[in-house]
């Protein structure tokens, strides 16, 4: 069954009807620029084929009944005056979006709503952001409002920071909302300027799952953010975006070592992201690959967010790819997926090498996907 068939079958089974509105939003894989977004820096994601779909039939005045079809779980609440749930997991993403829409003055109708997705959770490919973005699309359409991709992304980001309590940046939601098919998206996370970078046809983006699940809600993410803020305050800048490598060198031995290392990563990844955007545009995989390898090293040694499995997988991929491309852990960290960029004609050999020697912690072969950069979120039918 396709994702769309699952959504329609699940909606019909739960509510005995077809949804009036169907929206979709993709997951994303970040090529480079990690933990830079909340430092007002740069990131460069592409949208992936896996996505979340939302089906909705509004019924003004009724409760909002929500079915998470993949989990077989449900929620029900009055959309005006919605509150967070303790340990509410996916429910708080939905409730968070409704709450932010209320705050923005949108009167969210009740009704029948179902969610289905193909993004594996805990893999660093933004299943939560795609849920928030797809849901925002569906609810706005239901009340006849058209918002820009950026406004939708920023509302979805506020929703994730609110009820779920993750102090995330804006990378995931902007990637899900504003990417374009066949392109990577260079995001200036401060000015919100977006640059679509066409990906040359002979370049392949490959994702390999380490099989180590990551948890964004555990404290590490917020701790990294606090360390970056400490470094920025010491350097006397509003955000690490405003600091350069010379300022960092001058602070060595004065700023505490941990915050100094965190700043090294962020300042370095900002520079690498801008350089990688130029290199990719010029079809220069040699430079792109070197920057990705440097980014992985920096995530491992300076930012402390890789794990043995993603270190091993990145090393394996980098060896198999050679000099024309590279690989790095992608996303928030502590496991999840590794992203690789290479020439298309190398894909079979590289995947073969990974399948021959990498096993997940449970001894399974890793899941591999060869991505065709997808379009950002939108409405499918209404
Ligand atoms: C998570 C967050 C993003 C970003 C990345 C790391 O995906 O949600 O805002 O900080 O981690 O780059």
């Amino acid at each position: 069954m396709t994702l769309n068939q699952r959504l329609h079958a699940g909606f019909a089974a739960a509510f005995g009807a077809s949804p009036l509105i169907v929206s979709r939003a993709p997951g994303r894989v970040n090529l480079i620029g990690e933990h830079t977004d909340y430092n007002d820096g740069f990131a460069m994601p592409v949208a992936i084929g896996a996505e979340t779909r939302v089906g909705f039939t509004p019924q003004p005045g009724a409760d909002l009944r929500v079915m998470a079809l993949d989990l077989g779980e449900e929620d029900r609440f009055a959309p005006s005056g919605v509150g967070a749930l303790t340990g509410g997991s996916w429910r708080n993403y939905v409730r968070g979006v409704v709450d932010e829409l209320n705050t923005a003055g949108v009167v969210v109708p009740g009704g029948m709503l179902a969610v289905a997705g193909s993004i594996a959770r805990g893999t660093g490919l933004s299943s939560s952001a795609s849920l928030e973005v797809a849901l925002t699309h569906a609810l706005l359409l239901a009340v006849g409002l058209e918002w820009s991709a950026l406004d939708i992304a920023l509302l979805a980001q506020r929703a994730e920071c609110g009820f779920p309590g993750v102090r995330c940046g804006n990378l995931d939601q902007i990637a899900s909302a504003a990417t374009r098919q066949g392109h990577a998206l260079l995001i200036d996370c401060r000015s919100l300027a977006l640059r679509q970078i066409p990906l040359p046809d002979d370049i392949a983006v490959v994702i390999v799952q380490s099989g180590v699940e990551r948890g964004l809600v555990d404290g590490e993410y917020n701790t990294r953010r606090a360390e970056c803020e400490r470094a920025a305050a010491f350097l006397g800048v509003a955000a690490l975006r405003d600091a350069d490598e010379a300022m960092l060198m001058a602070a060595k031995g004065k700023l505490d070592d941990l915050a100094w290392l965190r700043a090294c990563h962020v300042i370095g990844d900002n520079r690498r992201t801008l350089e990688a955007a130029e290199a990719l545009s010029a079809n220069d995989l040699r430079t792109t690959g070197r920057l990705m390898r440097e980014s992985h090293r920096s995530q491992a040694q300076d930012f402390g967010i890789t794990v043995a499995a993603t270190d091993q997988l990145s090393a394996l991929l980098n060896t198999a790819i050679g000099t024309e491309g590279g690989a790095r852990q992608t996303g928030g960290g502590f496991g999840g997926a590794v992203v690789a960029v290479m020439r298309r004609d190398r894909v079979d050999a590289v995947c073969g090498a990974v399948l021959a020697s990498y096993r997940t912690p449970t001894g399974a072969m890793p899941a591999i996907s060869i991505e065709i950069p997808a379009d950002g979120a939108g409405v499918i039918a209404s």
Side-chain angles (χ1 to χ4, degrees), residues 48-127:
I48 61 174
E51 61 181 30
T52 302
R53 290 196 177 200
V54 169
F56 184 42
T57 298
Q59 295 169 311
D63 277 356
L64 192 59
R65 290 161 60 202
V66 187
M67 296 293 304
L69 297 175
D70 303 325
L71 303 172
E73 293 175 4
E74 55 184 288
D75 196 10
R76 180 179 187 141
F77 54 88
S80 56
V82 56
L85 294 175
T86 313
S89 61
W90 68 271
R91 293 180 179 83
N92 280 340
Y93 297 122
V94 175
R95 287 167 172 248
V97 166
V98 172
D99 183 54
E100 287 298 335
L101 284 169
N102 283 341
T103 305
V106 177
V107 181
V108 178
M112 303 176 282
L113 195 141
V115 181
S118 52
I119 310 169
R121 282 172 294 279
T123 54
L125 301 175
S126 292
S127 57

Coordinates of all heavy atoms in Angstrom, one line a residue, residues 48-127:
I48 N 13.5 14.9 1.4 CA 13.7 13.5 1.0 C 12.3 12.9 0.5 O 11.3 13.6 0.7 CB 14.2 12.7 2.1 CG1 13.3 12.7 3.4 CG2 15.6 13.1 2.5 CD1 13.8 11.8 4.5
G49 N 12.4 11.7 0.0 CA 11.1 11.1 -0.5 C 10.1 10.7 0.6 O 8.9 10.7 0.4
A50 N 10.7 10.4 1.8 CA 9.8 10.0 2.9 C 9.1 11.3 3.4 O 9.7 12.3 3.4 CB 10.6 9.3 4.0
E51 N 7.8 11.1 3.8 CA 7.0 12.3 4.1 C 5.9 11.9 5.1 O 5.6 10.8 5.4 CB 6.4 12.9 2.9 CG 5.5 12.0 2.1 CD 5.0 12.6 0.8 OE1 5.6 13.5 0.2 OE2 3.8 12.3 0.4
T52 N 5.2 13.0 5.6 CA 4.0 12.8 6.4 C 2.8 13.4 5.6 O 2.9 14.4 5.0 CB 4.2 13.6 7.7 OG1 5.3 13.1 8.4 CG2 3.0 13.4 8.6
R53 N 1.7 12.7 5.7 CA 0.5 13.1 5.1 C -0.6 13.3 6.2 O -0.7 12.5 7.1 CB 0.0 12.2 4.0 CG 0.9 12.2 2.8 CD 0.3 11.6 1.6 NE 1.3 11.8 0.6 CZ 1.0 11.7 -0.7 NH1 -0.2 11.4 -1.1 NH2 2.0 11.9 -1.6
V54 N -1.4 14.3 6.0 CA -2.5 14.6 6.9 C -3.8 14.7 6.1 O -3.8 15.4 5.1 CB -2.2 16.0 7.6 CG1 -3.5 16.4 8.4 CG2 -1.0 15.9 8.6
G55 N -4.8 14.0 6.6 CA -6.1 14.1 6.0 C -7.1 14.8 7.0 O -7.0 14.5 8.2
F56 N -7.9 15.7 6.5 CA -8.7 16.5 7.4 C -10.1 16.8 6.8 O -10.2 17.2 5.7 CB -8.0 17.8 7.7 CG -8.7 18.7 8.8 CD1 -9.2 18.1 9.9 CD2 -8.7 20.0 8.6 CE1 -9.9 18.9 10.8 CE2 -9.4 20.9 9.5 CZ -9.9 20.3 10.7
T57 N -11.1 16.6 7.6 CA -12.4 17.1 7.3 C -12.9 17.9 8.4 O -13.1 17.4 9.5 CB -13.4 15.9 7.1 OG1 -12.9 15.1 6.0 CG2 -14.8 16.4 6.8
P58 N -13.0 19.3 8.2 CA -13.4 20.2 9.3 C -14.9 20.0 9.6 O -15.7 19.7 8.8 CB -13.1 21.6 8.7 CG -12.8 21.4 7.2 CD -12.7 19.9 6.9
Q59 N -15.1 20.2 10.9 CA -16.5 20.2 11.5 C -16.5 21.3 12.5 O -16.3 21.1 13.7 CB -16.9 18.9 12.1 CG -16.9 17.7 11.2 CD -17.0 16.4 12.0 OE1 -16.2 16.2 12.9 NE2 -17.9 15.5 11.6
P60 N -16.8 22.6 12.1 CA -16.7 23.7 13.0 C -17.6 23.4 14.2 O -18.7 22.9 14.1 CB -17.3 24.9 12.2 CG -17.0 24.5 10.8 CD -17.1 23.0 10.7
G61 N -17.1 23.8 15.4 CA -17.8 23.6 16.6 C -17.6 22.2 17.3 O -17.9 22.1 18.5
A62 N -17.1 21.3 16.6 CA -16.8 19.9 17.1 C -15.5 19.9 17.8 O -14.6 20.8 17.6 CB -17.0 18.9 16.1
D63 N -15.2 18.8 18.5 CA -13.8 18.5 19.0 C -12.9 18.2 17.8 O -13.5 17.8 16.7 CB -13.8 17.3 19.9 CG -14.2 17.7 21.3 OD1 -14.4 18.9 21.6 OD2 -14.3 16.7 22.1
L64 N -11.6 18.3 18.0 CA -10.7 17.8 16.9 C -10.4 16.4 17.3 O -9.9 16.2 18.4 CB -9.5 18.7 16.9 CG -8.5 18.5 15.7 CD1 -9.2 18.7 14.4 CD2 -7.3 19.4 15.8
R65 N -10.7 15.4 16.5 CA -10.4 14.0 16.7 C -9.2 13.7 15.8 O -9.3 13.8 14.6 CB -11.6 13.2 16.4 CG -12.7 13.4 17.4 CD -14.0 12.9 16.9 NE -14.0 11.4 16.6 CZ -14.9 10.9 15.7 NH1 -15.8 11.6 15.1 NH2 -14.8 9.6 15.5
V66 N -8.1 13.2 16.4 CA -6.9 13.0 15.7 C -6.5 11.5 15.8 O -6.4 11.0 16.9 CB -5.7 13.8 16.3 CG1 -4.5 13.8 15.4 CG2 -6.2 15.3 16.5
M67 N -6.3 10.9 14.7 CA -5.8 9.5 14.6 C -4.3 9.5 14.1 O -4.1 10.0 13.0 CB -6.6 8.7 13.6 CG -8.1 8.5 14.0 SD -8.3 7.5 15.5 CE -7.4 6.0 15.1
A68 N -3.4 8.9 14.9 CA -2.1 8.6 14.4 C -2.1 7.2 13.9 O -1.9 6.3 14.6 CB -1.1 8.8 15.5
L69 N -2.3 7.1 12.5 CA -2.5 5.8 12.0 C -1.4 4.8 12.1 O -1.6 3.6 12.3 CB -2.9 5.9 10.5 CG -4.2 6.7 10.2 CD1 -4.4 6.9 8.7 CD2 -5.4 6.1 10.8
D70 N -0.1 5.3 12.1 CA 1.0 4.4 12.2 C 1.2 3.9 13.6 O 1.8 2.8 13.8 CB 2.3 5.2 11.8 CG 2.2 5.8 10.4 OD1 1.6 5.1 9.6 OD2 2.8 6.8 10.2
L71 N 0.6 4.6 14.6 CA 0.8 4.1 15.9 C -0.5 3.5 16.5 O -0.4 2.9 17.6 CB 1.2 5.4 16.8 CG 2.4 6.1 16.4 CD1 2.5 7.4 17.2 CD2 3.6 5.3 16.6
G72 N -1.6 3.7 15.8 CA -2.8 3.2 16.3 C -3.3 3.9 17.6 O -3.9 3.3 18.5
E73 N -2.9 5.2 17.6 CA -3.3 6.0 18.8 C -4.1 7.2 18.4 O -4.1 7.6 17.3 CB -2.0 6.5 19.5 CG -1.2 5.4 20.1 CD 0.2 5.8 20.7 OE1 0.5 7.0 20.7 OE2 0.9 4.9 21.1
E74 N -4.8 7.7 19.4 CA -5.7 8.9 19.1 C -5.7 9.9 20.1 O -5.2 9.7 21.2 CB -7.1 8.4 18.8 CG -7.7 7.6 19.9 CD -9.1 7.1 19.5 OE1 -10.0 7.9 19.5 OE2 -9.2 5.8 19.3
D75 N -6.2 11.1 19.8 CA -6.3 12.2 20.7 C -7.6 12.9 20.3 O -8.1 12.8 19.2 CB -5.1 13.1 20.5 CG -4.9 14.1 21.7 OD1 -5.6 13.9 22.7 OD2 -4.1 15.0 21.6
R76 N -8.1 13.6 21.3 CA -9.3 14.3 21.1 C -9.3 15.5 22.0 O -9.1 15.4 23.2 CB -10.5 13.4 21.4 CG -11.8 14.1 21.2 CD -13.0 13.1 21.5 NE -14.2 13.8 21.2 CZ -15.2 13.2 20.6 NH1 -15.2 11.9 20.4 NH2 -16.3 13.8 20.3
F77 N -9.6 16.7 21.5 CA -9.6 17.9 22.3 C -10.4 19.0 21.6 O -10.6 19.0 20.4 CB -8.2 18.4 22.6 CG -7.3 18.6 21.4 CD1 -7.3 19.8 20.8 CD2 -6.5 17.6 20.9 CE1 -6.5 20.0 19.7 CE2 -5.7 17.8 19.8 CZ -5.7 19.0 19.2
A78 N -10.8 20.0 22.4 CA -11.4 21.2 21.8 C -10.3 22.1 21.3 O -9.4 22.5 22.1 CB -12.3 21.9 22.9
P79 N -10.4 22.5 20.1 CA -9.2 23.2 19.5 C -9.0 24.6 20.2 O -7.8 25.1 20.3 CB -9.6 23.4 18.0 CG -10.9 22.9 17.8 CD -11.3 22.1 19.0
S80 N -10.1 25.2 20.7 CA -9.8 26.5 21.4 C -9.4 26.1 22.8 O -10.0 25.2 23.4 CB -11.1 27.3 21.4 OG -12.1 26.6 22.0
G81 N -8.4 26.7 23.3 CA -8.0 26.4 24.7 C -7.3 25.1 24.9 O -7.4 24.5 25.9
V82 N -6.6 24.6 23.8 CA -5.9 23.3 23.9 C -4.7 23.5 24.9 O -4.0 24.5 24.9 CB -5.5 22.9 22.5 CG1 -4.6 23.9 21.8 CG2 -4.7 21.5 22.6
G83 N -4.3 22.4 25.6 CA -3.2 22.4 26.5 C -2.2 21.3 26.2 O -2.6 20.3 25.4
A84 N -1.0 21.3 26.7 CA 0.0 20.3 26.5 C -0.4 19.1 27.4 O -1.0 19.2 28.4 CB 1.4 20.8 26.8
L85 N 0.1 17.9 27.0 CA 0.0 16.7 27.8 C 1.4 16.3 28.4 O 2.4 16.5 27.6 CB -0.5 15.5 27.0 CG -1.9 15.6 26.4 CD1 -2.2 14.5 25.5 CD2 -2.9 15.7 27.5
T86 N 1.4 15.9 29.6 CA 2.7 15.4 30.1 C 3.1 14.1 29.4 O 2.2 13.2 29.3 CB 2.6 15.1 31.6 OG1 2.0 16.3 32.2 CG2 4.0 15.0 32.3
G87 N 4.3 14.0 28.9 CA 4.7 12.8 28.2 C 3.8 12.6 27.0 O 3.6 11.4 26.6
G88 N 3.4 13.6 26.3 CA 2.4 13.5 25.3 C 2.9 13.1 23.9 O 2.1 12.9 23.0
S89 N 4.2 13.0 23.7 CA 4.9 12.6 22.5 C 4.2 13.2 21.3 O 4.1 14.5 21.2 CB 5.0 11.1 22.3 OG 3.7 10.5 22.3
W90 N 3.8 12.5 20.3 CA 3.2 13.0 19.0 C 2.0 14.0 19.3 O 1.8 14.9 18.5 CB 2.8 11.9 18.1 CG 1.6 11.1 18.5 CD1 1.7 10.0 19.3 CD2 0.3 11.4 18.3 NE1 0.4 9.5 19.6 CE2 -0.5 10.4 18.9 CE3 -0.4 12.3 17.5 CZ2 -1.9 10.3 18.9 CZ3 -1.8 12.3 17.5 CH2 -2.5 11.3 18.2
R91 N 1.3 13.7 20.3 CA 0.1 14.5 20.6 C 0.5 16.0 20.8 O -0.2 16.9 20.5 CB -0.7 14.0 21.8 CG -1.3 12.6 21.6 CD -2.0 12.2 22.8 NE -2.7 10.9 22.6 CZ -2.1 9.7 22.7 NH1 -0.8 9.6 23.1 NH2 -2.7 8.6 22.5
N92 N 1.6 16.2 21.5 CA 2.1 17.5 21.7 C 2.5 18.3 20.5 O 2.4 19.5 20.4 CB 3.1 17.6 22.8 CG 2.6 17.4 24.2 OD1 1.4 17.7 24.4 ND2 3.4 17.0 25.1
Y93 N 2.9 17.6 19.4 CA 3.2 18.2 18.2 C 1.9 18.8 17.6 O 1.9 19.9 17.1 CB 3.9 17.3 17.2 CG 5.3 16.8 17.7 CD1 5.6 15.5 17.8 CD2 6.3 17.7 18.0 CE1 6.8 15.0 18.3 CE2 7.5 17.3 18.4 CZ 7.8 15.9 18.6 OH 9.0 15.5 19.0
V94 N 0.9 17.9 17.6 CA -0.4 18.3 17.0 C -1.0 19.5 17.9 O -1.4 20.5 17.3 CB -1.4 17.1 17.0 CG1 -2.7 17.5 16.5 CG2 -0.8 16.0 16.1
R95 N -1.0 19.3 19.2 CA -1.6 20.3 20.0 C -0.8 21.6 19.9 O -1.4 22.7 20.0 CB -1.6 19.8 21.5 CG -2.7 18.7 21.7 CD -2.5 18.0 23.0 NE -3.6 17.1 23.3 CZ -4.5 17.2 24.3 NH1 -4.3 18.2 25.1 NH2 -5.5 16.4 24.4
G96 N 0.5 21.5 19.8 CA 1.4 22.6 19.7 C 1.0 23.5 18.5 O 1.0 24.7 18.5
V97 N 0.8 22.8 17.4 CA 0.4 23.5 16.1 C -0.9 24.3 16.3 O -1.1 25.4 16.0 CB 0.4 22.6 14.9 CG1 -0.3 23.2 13.7 CG2 1.8 22.1 14.5
V98 N -1.9 23.5 16.9 CA -3.2 24.2 17.1 C -3.1 25.4 18.0 O -3.6 26.4 17.8 CB -4.2 23.1 17.7 CG1 -5.5 23.8 18.1 CG2 -4.4 22.0 16.6
D99 N -2.3 25.2 19.1 CA -2.1 26.3 20.0 C -1.4 27.5 19.4 O -1.9 28.7 19.6 CB -1.2 25.8 21.2 CG -1.1 26.9 22.3 OD1 -2.1 27.4 22.8 OD2 0.1 27.2 22.6
E100 N -0.4 27.3 18.6 CA 0.3 28.4 17.9 C -0.7 29.1 16.9 O -0.6 30.3 16.7 CB 1.5 27.9 17.2 CG 2.7 27.6 18.1 CD 3.2 28.8 19.0 OE1 3.0 30.0 18.5 OE2 3.7 28.6 20.1
L101 N -1.5 28.3 16.2 CA -2.5 28.9 15.3 C -3.4 29.8 16.0 O -3.8 30.9 15.6 CB -3.2 27.8 14.5 CG -2.4 27.2 13.3 CD1 -3.0 26.0 12.7 CD2 -2.1 28.2 12.2
N102 N -3.9 29.3 17.2 CA -4.8 30.1 18.0 C -4.1 31.4 18.4 O -4.7 32.5 18.3 CB -5.1 29.3 19.4 CG -6.1 28.2 19.2 OD1 -6.9 28.2 18.2 ND2 -6.2 27.3 20.1
T103 N -2.9 31.3 18.8 CA -2.1 32.5 19.2 C -2.0 33.5 18.0 O -2.0 34.7 18.2 CB -0.7 32.1 19.7 OG1 -0.9 31.1 20.7 CG2 0.1 33.3 20.2
A104 N -1.9 32.9 16.8 CA -1.8 33.8 15.6 C -3.1 34.3 15.2 O -3.2 34.9 14.1 CB -1.1 33.0 14.5
G105 N -4.2 34.0 15.9 CA -5.5 34.5 15.6 C -6.3 33.7 14.6 O -7.3 34.1 14.1
V106 N -5.8 32.5 14.3 CA -6.6 31.6 13.4 C -7.6 30.8 14.2 O -7.2 30.1 15.2 CB -5.6 30.6 12.7 CG1 -6.4 29.7 11.8 CG2 -4.6 31.4 11.9
V107 N -8.8 30.8 13.9 CA -9.8 30.0 14.6 C -9.8 28.6 14.0 O -10.3 28.4 12.9 CB -11.2 30.6 14.5 CG1 -12.2 29.8 15.3 CG2 -11.2 32.1 15.0
V108 N -9.2 27.7 14.7 CA -9.0 26.3 14.2 C -10.3 25.5 14.4 O -10.8 25.4 15.5 CB -7.8 25.6 14.9 CG1 -7.7 24.2 14.4 CG2 -6.5 26.3 14.7
P109 N -10.8 25.0 13.3 CA -12.1 24.2 13.4 C -11.8 22.8 14.0 O -10.7 22.3 13.9 CB -12.6 24.1 12.0 CG -11.4 24.2 11.2 CD -10.4 25.0 11.9
G110 N -12.8 22.2 14.6 CA -12.7 20.8 15.0 C -12.9 20.0 13.8 O -12.9 20.5 12.7
G111 N -13.0 18.7 14.0 CA -13.2 17.8 12.8 C -12.5 16.5 13.0 O -12.0 16.1 14.0
M112 N -12.4 15.8 11.8 CA -11.7 14.5 11.8 C -10.4 14.6 11.1 O -10.3 15.1 9.9 CB -12.6 13.5 11.0 CG -14.1 13.5 11.6 SD -15.2 12.4 10.6 CE -15.6 13.5 9.3
L113 N -9.4 14.1 11.8 CA -8.0 14.3 11.2 C -7.2 13.0 11.4 O -7.2 12.4 12.5 CB -7.4 15.5 12.0 CG -6.1 16.1 11.4 CD1 -6.1 17.6 11.6 CD2 -4.9 15.5 12.0
A114 N -6.5 12.7 10.3 CA -5.7 11.4 10.4 C -4.3 11.8 9.9 O -4.1 12.5 8.9 CB -6.3 10.3 9.7
V115 N -3.3 11.1 10.5 CA -1.9 11.3 10.1 C -1.3 10.0 9.8 O -1.4 9.0 10.5 CB -1.1 11.9 11.3 CG1 0.3 12.2 10.9 CG2 -1.8 13.2 11.8
A116 N -0.5 9.9 8.6 CA 0.3 8.8 8.3 C 1.6 9.2 7.7 O 1.7 10.3 7.1 CB -0.5 7.9 7.3
G117 N 2.6 8.5 8.0 CA 3.9 8.9 7.5 C 4.9 7.8 7.1 O 4.6 6.6 7.5
S118 N 5.9 8.1 6.4 CA 6.9 7.1 6.0 C 8.3 7.5 6.5 O 9.3 6.9 6.1 CB 6.9 6.9 4.4 OG 7.0 8.2 3.8
I119 N 8.4 8.5 7.4 CA 9.7 8.8 7.9 C 9.9 8.1 9.2 O 9.1 8.2 10.1 CB 9.8 10.3 8.2 CG1 9.4 11.1 7.0 CG2 11.2 10.7 8.6 CD1 9.2 12.6 7.3
A120 N 10.9 7.2 9.3 CA 11.2 6.5 10.5 C 11.5 7.5 11.6 O 12.3 8.4 11.4 CB 12.3 5.5 10.3
R121 N 10.9 7.3 12.8 CA 11.1 8.2 13.9 C 12.5 7.9 14.5 O 12.9 6.8 14.5 CB 10.0 8.1 14.9 CG 8.7 8.9 14.5 CD 7.6 8.6 15.5 NE 7.2 7.2 15.4 CZ 6.4 6.7 14.5 NH1 5.9 7.4 13.5 NH2 6.1 5.4 14.4
G122 N 13.1 9.0 15.0 CA 14.4 8.8 15.7 C 15.6 8.6 14.8 O 16.6 8.1 15.2
T123 N 15.4 9.0 13.5 CA 16.5 8.8 12.6 C 17.2 10.1 12.2 O 18.1 10.1 11.3 CB 16.0 8.1 11.3 OG1 14.9 8.8 10.8 CG2 15.5 6.7 11.6
G124 N 16.7 11.2 12.7 CA 17.3 12.5 12.4 C 16.9 13.0 11.1 O 17.5 13.8 10.5
L125 N 15.7 12.5 10.6 CA 15.2 13.0 9.3 C 14.0 13.8 9.4 O 13.2 14.0 8.4 CB 15.0 11.8 8.3 CG 16.3 11.0 8.1 CD1 16.0 9.7 7.3 CD2 17.4 11.8 7.4
S126 N 13.7 14.3 10.6 CA 12.7 15.3 10.8 C 11.2 14.9 10.6 O 10.4 15.5 10.0 CB 12.9 16.5 10.0 OG 14.0 17.2 10.4
S127 N 10.9 13.7 11.3 CA 9.5 13.3 11.2 C 8.6 14.3 11.9 O 7.5 14.6 11.5 CB 9.3 11.9 11.8 OG 9.8 11.9 13.1

